[in-house]
Amino acid sequence: MQLLTFTKREAFAGTRYLLVTLWLFTESNFSTFVLPNTAFGILGALSGPRLTTQRQVFLTDVIERLPAVMLFNWSNVLIFDLANQRYPESVKEDRLNKPWRPLPAGRISLEQTRRLMLLMVLVVLALNFFIGAERETVLLFILTWLYNDLKGGDEVVRDLIIAVAFAFYNHGSLNLATKARTEISEQGYTWIALISGVILTTMQIQDLKDMPGDSQRGRRTLPLIFGHITSRWMIAICILLWSLSCALFWHSHPSAYVMTISLGGLVAYRVLRWQSADADSRTWKLWCMWTAALYALPLLS
C-alpha cells in the first residue's frame, strides 16, 4: 500500500514537472502569439459574412470552439519553441535574454528536449487532426523546419517566414472558430493577407529587446542590419500607416479609427521615445494589443 501511494505521488510529481516544463517552453509566446491568434479566429467568426460565407452567427457556438482554437495555437507554438530552443546556440542566447526557460534553467537537457519533441510532434499532429486543423499544422511544421533546422530564423527571410506562419495560424483559427461549416470568403483571404503584411513590416519590434542575444548568435535582424534608430523609425511609420489603412479597408466607424490610430500611435511613440531593453519588452506587448485591436475591425465595421 505504501509502495502504491509512493508510486502515485511520484507519477503526480512527474506529470506536474512535465506540464510546467512544457508551459515554460511557451510562456513568453502565450500572450504575444497564442492569445492574439486565438482572438483573430474568435473575432473573425463573430464577424460572420465579413470574413466567411456564414450568414448567421451564434455567440454560444463560437465560444464553444474557443478551447479548440486555443489548443491549435498553443500546440503549434509548443512545437516551434521546442525546435527553436533545443540548440546549444539557442541556450547560450537564452542565458542572456530569457534565463528562466527550461534549458538554461537546467530543468531539462538537450537530449531530453530532442526526445520530447519527437513525441510531441506526433501528439500535436494527432490532436490537430482530431479538431480539424491538420493541414495548417503540417504547413506550420514545414515553416518550423525552415526557420530552425535550416536556420531561416538567422537570415533576412526570418520575417517572411513569420508572416507566412501567421497566415496559417489565422486561417486555422478562423476555420476552427466557425466549426469549418463555412468557407473563408475572398474578403477573408484578403484580410488574412493584410494582417501578414502588418506582421512582415512591424514584427521587427520584437527584435529590439533581443539585440544582445541576436548579435552574439550572428542573427541578421533588421535592427542589427540597419541599426536600431533607423529600424525604430521604420517600425513606427509602418505601424501608423497600417493603423489607418486597416480601418480604411473596413470602412470603419469613427470610433474604430480612434482605437487603432491611438493605440498604434502609443506604440509608435514608445518605440521611438523609450529605448531600454525593459521598455522595448513592454512596447512589444503593447504591439500585441495593437494587433488584437486590428483583428477586431471586421466585427466593428
Side-chain angles (χ1 to χ4, degrees):
M1 186 65 180
Q2 284 183 334
L3 179 61
L4 182 61
T5 303
F6 182 69
T7 303
K8 286 182 178 179
R9 190 177 302 160
E10 277 190 325
F12 176 79
T15 301
R16 183 179 182 276
Y17 190 91
L18 174 61
L19 293 175
V20 171
T21 301
L22 292 177
W23 167 252
L24 289 174
F25 270 112
T26 62
E27 189 272 338
S28 62
N29 289 328
F30 189 81
S31 60
T32 54
F33 284 92
V34 176
L35 291 182
N37 291 335
T38 299
F40 182 94
I42 297 300
L43 295 172
L46 292 173
S47 303
R50 295 180 183 88
L51 295 178
T52 69
T53 57
Q54 189 173 13
R55 296 300 170 188
Q56 194 171 16
V57 180
F58 296 99
L59 178 61
T60 53
D61 286 344
V62 176
I63 296 302
E64 275 182 10
R65 300 301 295 167
L66 176 59
V69 178
M70 189 168 289
L71 176 62
F72 159 70
N73 283 287
W74 180 80
S75 63
N76 278 284
V77 164
L78 172 64
I79 296 301
F80 175 85
D81 285 338
L82 286 170
N84 181 254
Q85 297 173 34
R86 69 187 177 91
Y87 294 103
E89 59 268 30
S90 299
V91 178
K92 189 175 181 181
E93 178 186 356
D94 282 340
R95 286 197 180 102
L96 291 175
N97 295 334
K98 303 176 182 73
W100 43 263
R101 280 180 167 177
L103 282 161
R107 289 184 64 90
I108 191 171
S109 69
L110 290 172
E111 178 61 19
Q112 289 171 330
T113 303
R114 184 187 67 82
R115 292 179 177 178
L116 177 62
M117 187 176 174
L118 283 173
L119 173 63
M120 293 311 300
V121 163
L122 297 176
V123 171
V124 169
L125 187 58
L127 281 174
N128 282 282
F129 179 83
F130 178 75
I131 64 177
E134 67 278 2
R135 290 177 300 175
E136 291 87 354
T137 295
V138 170
L139 292 170
L140 287 168
F141 282 0
I142 294 172
L143 291 175
T144 294
W145 173 66
L146 291 173
Y147 189 96
N148 294 297
D149 295 82
L150 296 189
K151 306 299 182 183
D154 295 336
E155 303 292 341
V156 292
V157 296
R158 160 191 170 91
D159 295 323
L160 178 61
I161 294 173
I162 293 174
V164 174
F166 263 79
F168 293 141
Y169 275 112
N170 290 336
H171 184 280
S173 296
L174 185 56
N175 263 341
L176 287 172
T178 57
K179 294 188 176 181
R181 291 177 178 174
T182 62
E183 294 182 0
I184 298 176
S185 64
E186 182 177 342
Q187 185 168 246
Y189 279 110
T190 302
W191 182 232
I192 290 173
L194 278 176
I195 292 300
S196 287
V198 171
I199 302 304
L200 179 64
T201 54
T202 67
M203 186 72 175
Q204 301 80 15
I205 196 170
Q206 73 162 332
D207 298 327
L208 295 171
K209 60 183 175 57
D210 293 334
M211 286 181 66
D214 289 341
S215 177
Q216 185 179 74
R217 182 167 174 171
R219 181 174 283 157
R220 300 181 67 193
T221 63
L222 192 72
L224 293 175
I225 294 173
F226 295 106
H228 79 99
I229 297 297
T230 300
S231 300
R232 288 176 189 277
W233 277 101
M234 292 170 64
I235 293 166
I237 291 171
C238 287
I239 286 174
L240 293 174
L241 289 175
W242 282 118
S243 297
L244 178 62
S245 300
C246 290
L248 284 171
F249 177 79
W250 288 109
H251 308 286
S252 301
H253 187 273
S255 61
Y257 283 89
V258 172
M259 175 184 69
T260 58
I261 293 174
S262 60
L263 189 52
L266 175 61
V267 177
Y269 172 77
R270 282 188 59 91
V271 81
L272 294 173
R273 178 66 179 84
W274 307 106
Q275 301 184 9
S276 69
D278 288 341
D280 285 334
S281 181
R282 287 191 286 270
T283 303
W284 155 243
K285 292 177 181 178
L286 279 174
W287 177 88
C288 296
M289 292 177 59
W290 171 70
T291 59
L294 296 182
Y295 297 165
L297 287 174
L299 186 61
L300 301 175
S301 65

